[in-house]
């Protein structure tokens, strides 16, 4: 069952569309994320519908393809690292940290926090309600079909 859910997750992940590009990379005018001072921290980034999301210890958002950035409040404990970001449109997405899954349907203006366990990766299906998350540390795959209201494990 675990392998089926993992394959299903990979097949339902949205295909990322490239940003409009001039054929080269552009360096951000200022550091977007803080320096990685941890051996267990990570960094996640995603682009969807023209919005770029990036996270490490904090979550930031750019509505202009990375020219400017602003922080987005995420209900995580201090010192918590973001492990994955997955949005299906500019408003609906999930962010996972080492201890929880956060879901928003309004572009990060507010968040619902679910399943407080070590999470390595979370993905949101195109329906905007099905969330699959992995906790390799706890040897479990988590599945919610109702935007995090209820969960089943395998």
């Amino acid at each position: 069952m675990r392998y089926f859910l993992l394959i299903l997750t990979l097949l339902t992940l949205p295909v990322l569309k490239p940003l409009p590009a001039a054929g080269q990379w552009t360096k951000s005018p200022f550091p977007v994320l803080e320096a990685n001072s941890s051996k267990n921290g990570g960094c996640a980034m995603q682009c969807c519908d023209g919005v770029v999301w990036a996270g490490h210890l904090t979550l930031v958002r750019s509505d202009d393809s990375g020219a400017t950035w602003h922080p987005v409040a995420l209900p995580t404990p201090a010192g918590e690292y973001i492990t994955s970001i997955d949005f299906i449109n500019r408003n609906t997405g999930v962010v996972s940290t080492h201890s929880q899954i956060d879901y928003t349907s309004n572009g990060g203006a507010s968040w619902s926090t679910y399943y407080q366990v070590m999470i390595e990766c979370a993905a949101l299906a195109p329906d905007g309600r099905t969330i699959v998350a992995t906790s390799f540390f706890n040897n479990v795959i988590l599945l919610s079909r109702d935007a995090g209201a209820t969960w089943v494990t395998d």
Side-chain angles (χ1 to χ4, degrees):
M1 179 69 172
R2 285 187 192 165
Y3 298 109
F4 172 74
L5 287 175
L6 184 58
I7 291 169
L8 179 64
T9 301
L10 294 174
L11 291 175
T12 60
L13 290 175
V15 177
L16 298 179
K17 296 178 183 175
L19 290 173
Q24 64 184 22
W25 290 89
T26 302
K27 185 175 180 179
S28 179
F30 61 94
V32 175
L33 301 173
E34 58 285 324
N36 187 1
S37 59
S38 169
K39 293 184 179 176
N40 68 348
C43 179
M45 190 167 207
Q46 194 214 5
C47 176
C48 186
D49 287 348
V51 176
V52 183
W53 297 87
H56 180 53
L57 275 171
T58 57
L59 182 65
V60 293
R61 172 184 172 142
S62 172
D63 294 304
D64 54 13
S65 300
T68 60
W69 296 87
H70 62 274
V72 177
L74 192 64
T76 57
E80 190 69 24
Y81 287 95
I82 293 169
T83 57
S84 69
I85 300 170
D86 190 26
F87 276 75
I88 61 164
N89 57 44
R90 24 186 341 104
N91 293 316
T92 308
V94 292
V95 174
S96 67
T97 69
H98 281 278
S99 68
Q100 65 193 41
I101 301 166
D102 297 303
Y103 173 88
T104 184
S105 59
N106 58 13
S110 64
W111 297 86
S112 298
T113 298
Y114 300 106
Y115 223 97
Q116 295 180 317
V117 65
M118 181 179 268
I119 301 294
E120 285 85 11
C121 183
L124 185 61
D127 67 7
R129 301 189 48 75
T130 303
I131 305 169
V132 178
T134 57
S135 177
F136 298 115
F137 181 80
N138 293 300
N139 195 28
V140 68
I141 295 174
L142 310 166
L143 173 68
S144 173
R145 295 189 185 279
D146 52 14
T150 60
W151 293 87
V152 295
T153 62
D154 180 35

